[in-house]
Amino acid sequence: MNRKLKLDELNRVSVEEFKNQKKLPVIVVLDNIRSLNNIGSFFRTSDAFNIEAIYLCGITAQPPHREIQKTALGATESIEWKYFEATEQALDKLKENNFLVYAVEQTENPIYLQDFTYNFEKIALIFGNEVEGVSQNIINLSKNSIEIPQFGTKHSLNVSISYGIVLWHLANQTLKRL
């Protein structure tokens, strides 16, 4: 039988230790995310997978905010983040720093997630508004799009759930190479 671990058995690192760890070279770009709970979930998932940073764009709210904190559970302190008035500004900065930019969206001719190979290169993942998704203009500025295959009637996942699925795929590929 397996025993559930206690909090003090999880070998958690301090915020300072976390900030000094080698990061997964991934920056997530939030393109006009409206839900404060989703924003908090992005922070918490980013901490769990040790990514480099979050870029908050447009109407996406910024910490500190009580509603973001509810789901972030302190991850706004460990994850680096920057705010940009326009998503295009964030993409310009990323491209200047040699990041490959991918929209996570349903498009013509996407790369399906199971076919996306991650080789620990610097990438940026763009996630869009809960209703409108990633805007066409931003898709046009991306290298390509990544799509999570779905088989139900909705063909829609919560944006923060999609993020967790995509990050697990990247982390899983990274772990297999270690």
Side-chain angles (χ1 to χ4, degrees):
M1 180 150 91
N2 287 333
R3 178 184 62 82
K4 180 178 175 178
L5 293 176
K6 296 179 176 149
L7 286 178
D8 62 349
E9 295 176 300
L10 294 177
N11 297 319
R12 292 181 177 183
V13 297
S14 69
V15 170
E16 196 58 41
E17 290 169 319
F18 178 86
K19 287 184 176 191
N20 291 319
Q21 289 180 150
K22 183 175 182 181
K23 303 283 183 243
L24 197 61
V26 174
I27 293 180
V28 63
V29 178
L30 304 187
D31 180 27
N32 293 301
I33 301 292
R34 63 184 165 87
S35 165
L36 300 171
N37 289 324
N38 280 336
I39 297 164
S41 292
F42 272 94
F43 273 94
R44 189 167 168 189
T45 301
S46 297
D47 178 279
F49 287 101
N50 194 28
I51 73 151
E52 193 170 314
I54 295 177
Y55 285 2
L56 309 168
C57 303
I59 67 166
T60 308
Q62 305 163 56
H65 194 289
R66 189 173 67 100
E67 292 299 313
I68 292 173
Q69 227 17 60
K70 277 185 184 179
T71 48
L73 296 178
T76 56
E77 303 303 317
S78 57
I79 293 294
E80 297 295 324
W81 62 272
K82 293 180 184 171
Y83 174 76
F84 296 86
E85 285 187 28
T87 305
E88 293 85 352
Q89 295 169 325
L91 299 187
D92 288 345
K93 181 170 180 62
L94 289 162
K95 289 177 181 180
E96 285 172 16
N97 290 300
N98 300 311
F99 277 80
L100 301 174
V101 177
Y102 295 92
V104 178
E105 187 58 86
Q106 297 166 328
T107 65
E108 296 176 335
N109 305 309
I111 301 170
Y112 289 101
L113 183 58
Q114 71 272 17
D115 299 325
F116 184 77
T117 302
Y118 180 61
N119 293 311
F120 212 68
E121 65 266 71
K122 295 181 348 179
I123 65 169
L125 300 169
I126 308 164
F127 290 84
N129 178 273
E130 293 88 342
V131 176
E132 302 296 324
V134 178
S135 68
Q136 185 63 54
N137 180 47
I138 299 305
I139 291 169
N140 294 345
L141 296 172
S142 302
K143 176 178 175 61
N144 204 333
S145 63
I146 299 170
E147 183 175 331
I148 301 168
Q150 299 172 50
F151 310 101
T153 61
K154 299 297 178 197
H155 284 271
S156 174
L157 290 165
N158 173 278
V159 66
S160 64
I161 298 296
S162 295
Y163 181 50
I165 291 168
V166 172
L167 271 190
W168 170 246
H169 180 76
L170 301 182
N172 190 39
Q173 288 187 37
T174 302
L175 289 169
K176 287 179 178 179
R177 288 189 185 94
L178 297 177

